[in-house]
Amino acid sequence: MTKQEISRAQRETVNVLLEENRVFVPSDAFQQQAIIHDESIYAEAAKDREAFWGKWAGELDWFKKWDKVLDWQLPFAQWFVGGKLNASYNCLDRHLKKGLGNKTAIFWEGEPGETKRLTYNDIYCAVNKLANGLKGLGVIKGDRVAIYMPMIPETIFAMLACARIGAVHTVVFGGFSADSLKERIKDAQAKFLITADGGYRKGKVLALKETADQAVVECPTIEHVLVVRRTGQDVLMRQGRDLWYHELVDKAADYCEPEPMDAEDMLYILYTSGTTGKPKGIVHTTGGYLTGVAATTRWVFDIKPEDIFWCTADVGWVTGHSYIVYGPMAHAVTQVMYEGSPDYPQRDRFWKIVEKYKVTIFYTAPTAIRTFMRWGTQWPQGCNLSSLRLLGSVGEPINPEAWVWYHQHIGHGQCPIVDTWWQTETGSILISPIPGVTVLKPGSATKPLPGIEAVVLTQEGKIVEKGGGYLALKSPWPSMLRGIYGDNERYKKTYWSRWPGMYFPGDGAKIDADGYFWLLGRVDDIMLVAGHNISTMEVESALVDHPSVAESAVVGITDEIKGQAIAAFVILKEGHKPDSQADETLKGHVAKKIGAIARPQKIIFTAELPKTRSGKIMRRLLRDIAEGRALGDVTTLADTHVIEVLKEKYQEEA
Ligand code: WT7
């Protein structure tokens, strides 16, 4: 549906409420100023996709131009074959050359309230010094460097310094436990770890270095641990292994030549949950990834030189990689970076920040929006949010109620909302409105971006014109994952085995009569908790790791705030009591093993679990029980009695 097709009458009401079909038309004023204000971009991409992507790759600075746009040996893609470039050069040097060195890159705010303003010059200096420091310690092109940090500027320096010398960064979210960090370091065989003494979150200090120490004990590949002084808390520095960041960079030289990287050289590995428990190391390379994030930053966020952008994600997730670091910085964007939580010291912290820095574009997650809804409108109302002109959402489907609330109470009824669908694997946004062009429907991510061929399929692989099915991608795109680190078989099996030649992201979707996509969430055993993928297996293995647990089955249940919450069915070993103390102990145990984000909301003690004859746990039934629904088909169940007992038991507890 295009703007032109919406009748004049509808346009005048702007936000037309038509039962199932609420639409929001971009205002003429927004459209006129937008970078992309004309839908011809879709046709241009469809006409010759490779030429189209080549044009957008050309917006980057290349040391050597590519010979060929795409080499596609299903399921292995190479983009911009033969091209040479450097990501840190594209995010820094080229801006300095254009005289943008004094432009603010980051307005940083720590949770306790201290602030820093960093220009592109400042970041350039910090990155060059750190790059030299790392080189001096023996880090070379291709080495993996793990980064376990709070939301401070040094985290960005670390990523860009790695990119500068051709080292592969693997950022591990600072909320992950020692075990999770260890597992990722081991899988990536990282040689180096960059961390901080601690960080601030909800008024408390996270003991990052202490956690890192526990992880590193069992990681023989780690040669050095570099520690940023953030909180000043006491930490143990192991002689010979641990070094202070400030001491290293103080001594380092000011300029480090950026390594000319092949377009297909690895830029980073980022771990995401998988059904078999072991996290998957998603591999992204340099040229295609940068092309994808840089192009979508312009199309979707419409960022111009004077904008103040704020993406509230943690740098530890792909959203932070693509839309804090590489996308915005490739365009010399000015952005806000905030270390802490939205309710510290009060529930208006985000809105205070928007007001203070006059944020114009704000990108957050539905789970946060639902939390703000619960806290009440008095918090945003107390702040001046009139600087905002565009809002974004990512991480899970945004329910129409939350969309409308976000639009009214944060976007003062004026800001378009871009609901952006993508994944760690896709590298950049694939399904999203282009705000100056697309007519919005609350709850729909609208349409595939130019150059992206998404479809909805039946189980058998037939294209669904209208109705529900599985989301799939018909052709490769520049920022797509290049594989799972060290495991090509798993890569093929996970993403490319469902239908011939099609990428399967694992999401269900519905397509409506206007060709709009409505994402329906995961179809497998991955839960989506507060916008993050957590596998049921990971939580199950954390539970059975506790000495009192014999067996467990975990399901994601609908949660108003987080999208999904975790419910765990647990069979205790002989001699252990299923009381409230056990409940607390096990919840705490999971949080310690994986991180607070995986803490189960409910534990349901049971004597048996419903299994199929082949011994597979029937999660669907557990979900029905945990959500209090009528049970679905039970014919494949080995022992139907189990489920009756469980149901009664659960109802007692609920
Ligand atoms: C999964 C990817 C993309 C960065 C954050 C999460 C879900 C993401 C949307 C959206 C509906 C969404 C999907 C996807 N998802 N954005 N706008 N609408 N669902 O990255 O951890 O790799 O998770 O998040 O289920 O597959 P991730």
Side-chain angles (χ1 to χ4, degrees):
M1 185 163 35
T2 69
K3 190 169 163 174
Q4 287 72 33
E5 286 162 29
I6 303 279
S7 76
R8 191 76 226 164
Q10 283 177 339
R11 284 181 60 183
E12 268 150 19
T13 54
V14 182
N15 196 358
V16 193
L17 300 168
L18 300 168
E19 289 297 288
E20 283 224 296
N21 229 355
R22 281 188 275 213
V23 297
F24 174 82
V25 186
S27 70
D28 289 339
F30 191 97
Q31 186 175 23
Q32 275 152 20
Q33 63 77 53
I35 298 173
I36 309 291
H37 48 261
D38 176 345
E39 59 181 328
S40 65
I41 186 171
Y42 292 95
E44 185 202 337
K47 202 168 137 235
D48 185 344
R49 267 184 325 111
E50 289 183 25
F52 174 78
W53 283 121
K55 179 178 130 185
W56 286 90
E59 302 261 303
L60 299 171
D61 276 23
W62 295 77
F63 300 139
K64 176 179 173 285
K65 205 186 157 178
W66 57 92
D67 308 311
K68 192 174 172 203
V69 170
L70 173 65
D71 179 48
W72 181 220
Q73 311 284 337
L74 192 121
F76 297 99
Q78 292 193 58
W79 284 88
F80 311 112
V81 185
K84 299 245 182 238
L85 77 171
N86 181 285
S88 119
Y89 183 93
N90 272 281
C91 292
L92 301 169
D93 307 46
R94 67 166 178 160
H95 307 322
L96 269 55
K97 290 196 167 144
K98 284 186 202 143
L100 295 172
N102 287 326
K103 186 175 181 197
T104 302
I106 296 170
F107 288 113
W108 177 79
E109 200 163 301
E111 191 182 72
E114 68 274 57
T115 59
K116 276 183 196 163
R117 183 181 85 94
L118 296 161
T119 64
Y120 274 91
N121 264 331
D122 296 334
I123 298 185
Y124 174 83
C125 293
V127 168
N128 272 274
K129 280 176 160 286
L130 179 57
N132 279 328
L134 293 175
K135 259 188 166 170
L137 288 168
V139 180
I140 58 168
K141 182 177 167 182
D143 280 346
R144 272 81 58 214
V145 174
I147 298 175
Y148 183 64
M149 295 272 270
M151 280 288 282
I152 55 177
E154 287 81 357
T155 311
I156 296 181
F157 305 162
M159 292 165 76
L160 292 176
C162 287
R164 194 161 190 92
I165 62 176
V168 176
H169 58 70
T170 180
V171 183
V172 179
F173 170 57
F176 272 126
S177 67
D179 274 348
S180 302
L181 175 61
K182 177 185 78 185
E183 193 174 11
R184 287 157 174 79
I185 291 177
K186 279 187 149 174
D187 189 79
Q189 297 166 293
K191 188 164 157 182
F192 212 92
L193 172 66
I194 307 180
T195 187
D197 49 0
Y200 293 95
R201 185 84 199 172
K202 285 191 191 290
K204 294 201 204 85
V205 178
L206 300 175
L208 288 173
K209 174 63 165 68
E210 201 183 304
T211 311
D213 283 341
Q214 288 166 20
V216 170
V217 176
E218 291 175 64
C219 298
T221 53
I222 293 287
E223 292 171 11
H224 289 291
V225 178
L226 192 60
V227 187
V228 176
R229 186 174 271 154
R230 160 69 187 116
T231 58
Q233 72 205 85
D234 278 340
V235 293
L236 260 136
M237 295 293 279
R238 214 178 91 186
Q239 269 244 317
R241 187 195 70 185
D242 300 352
L243 302 136
W244 284 108
Y245 177 101
H246 56 271
E247 288 175 7
L248 182 77
V249 297
D250 276 355
K251 290 187 298 229
D254 290 334
Y255 180 71
C256 173
E257 190 72 27
E259 187 75 30
M261 302 295 282
D262 194 276
E264 281 300 331
D265 276 337
M266 243 195 275
L267 177 63
Y268 68 79
I269 303 170
L270 185 61
Y271 285 84
T272 185
S273 295
T275 31
T276 62
K278 190 176 173 243
K280 301 185 287 258
I282 303 302
V283 171
H284 283 291
T285 58
T286 310
Y289 174 77
L290 270 189
T291 301
V293 298
T296 50
T297 296
R298 282 177 70 93
W299 305 343
V300 175
F301 297 114
D302 187 46
I303 304 188
K304 314 219 187 42
E306 61 283 4
D307 273 308
I308 312 286
F309 180 65
W310 185 20
C311 164
T312 67
D314 192 283
V315 178
W317 308 112
V318 74
T319 308
H321 283 55
S322 299
Y323 299 107
I324 294 176
V325 184
Y326 293 107
M329 294 192 72
H331 289 295
V333 164
T334 298
Q335 61 184 318
V336 168
M337 181 181 195
Y338 168 58
E339 177 187 36
S341 91
D343 55 354
Y344 187 85
Q346 289 206 95
R347 291 174 166 180
D348 57 0
R349 185 66 182 272
F350 274 18
W351 318 127
K352 285 246 155 75
I353 292 175
V354 168
E355 175 180 273
K356 178 169 167 189
Y357 299 100
K358 299 193 169 55
V359 172
T360 58
I361 306 168
F362 178 74
Y363 190 33
T364 197
T367 179
I369 299 166
R370 287 191 294 266
T371 303
F372 301 140
M373 281 173 80
R374 189 166 51 94
W375 288 346
T377 53
Q378 69 273 27
W379 301 105
Q381 258 159 22
C383 297
N384 181 355
L385 305 182
S386 63
S387 56
L388 290 170
R389 66 179 194 89
L390 177 63
L391 303 175
S393 167
V394 62
E396 59 185 302
I398 176 167
N399 44 309
E401 295 70 26
W403 197 105
V404 169
W405 188 92
Y406 193 30
H407 182 251
Q408 283 178 348
H409 297 287
I410 308 302
H412 36 85
Q414 296 294 317
C415 303
I417 298 176
V418 286
D419 173 3
T420 62
W421 178 89
W422 60 296
Q423 313 178 287
T424 304
E425 292 88 337
T426 69
S428 61
I429 299 169
L430 298 194
I431 304 180
S432 162
I434 294 180
V437 175
T438 314
V439 171
L440 309 175
K441 295 189 188 187
S444 166
T446 75
K447 295 203 166 187
L449 287 174
I452 301 301
E453 298 191 301
V455 285
V456 176
L457 300 178
T458 64
Q459 188 133 27
E460 296 72 41
K462 285 209 190 65
I463 292 190
V464 177
E465 301 289 347
K466 181 172 174 283
Y470 300 86
L471 183 66
L473 296 158
K474 278 203 308 191
S475 55
W477 62 100
S479 65
M480 66 190 270
L481 76 165
R482 297 301 193 264
I484 295 174
Y485 189 65
D487 199 344
N488 278 343
E489 279 317 303
R490 192 174 178 201
Y491 168 66
K492 288 185 198 160
K493 194 165 158 264
T494 312
Y495 305 107
W496 299 93
S497 62
R498 200 145 178 150
W499 309 283
M502 296 269 184
Y503 173 86
F504 178 48
D507 282 12
K510 191 174 84 183
I511 191 159
D512 72 14
D514 297 316
Y516 274 47
F517 287 70
W518 299 74
L519 279 308
L520 302 173
R522 312 287 309 172
V523 301
D524 56 17
D525 293 339
I526 303 285
M527 300 172 287
L528 200 60
V529 182
H532 298 297
N533 274 345
I534 295 174
S535 84
T536 52
M537 274 293 298
E538 242 175 325
V539 180
E540 283 163 9
S541 35
L543 281 164
V544 295
D545 168 81
H546 192 272
S548 69
V549 176
E551 212 184 324
S552 86
V554 165
V555 292
I557 54 173
T558 310
D559 181 275
E560 236 176 75
I561 305 290
K562 295 186 207 152
Q564 279 194 314
I566 299 173
F569 290 80
V570 169
I571 304 177
L572 289 176
K573 284 186 188 152
E574 211 66 55
H576 292 271
K577 270 217 276 331
D579 51 16
S580 60
Q581 198 191 331
D583 179 279
E584 264 312 300
T585 308
L586 293 180
K587 286 176 179 167
H589 183 70
V590 174
K592 187 163 164 279
K593 291 288 292 183
I594 306 173
I597 193 161
R599 184 187 173 89
Q601 187 181 75
K602 283 184 189 151
I603 291 196
I604 300 143
F605 294 106
T606 173
E608 277 174 275
L609 289 167
K611 288 186 185 161
T612 62
R613 273 154 253 240
S614 63
K616 206 170 178 312
I617 292 170
M618 295 191 71
R619 272 175 233 285
R620 180 172 50 80
L621 292 183
L622 292 178
R623 226 173 282 132
D624 288 344
I625 294 170
E627 293 186 335
R629 264 196 309 272
L631 296 182
D633 183 15
V634 291
T635 47
T636 51
L637 201 62
D639 175 3
T640 44
H641 175 68
V642 174
I643 207 85
E644 288 311 319
V645 176
L646 249 179
K647 223 179 130 181
E648 257 169 50
K649 171 102 181 96
Y650 176 67
Q651 273 153 4
E652 261 166 46
E653 276 169 27

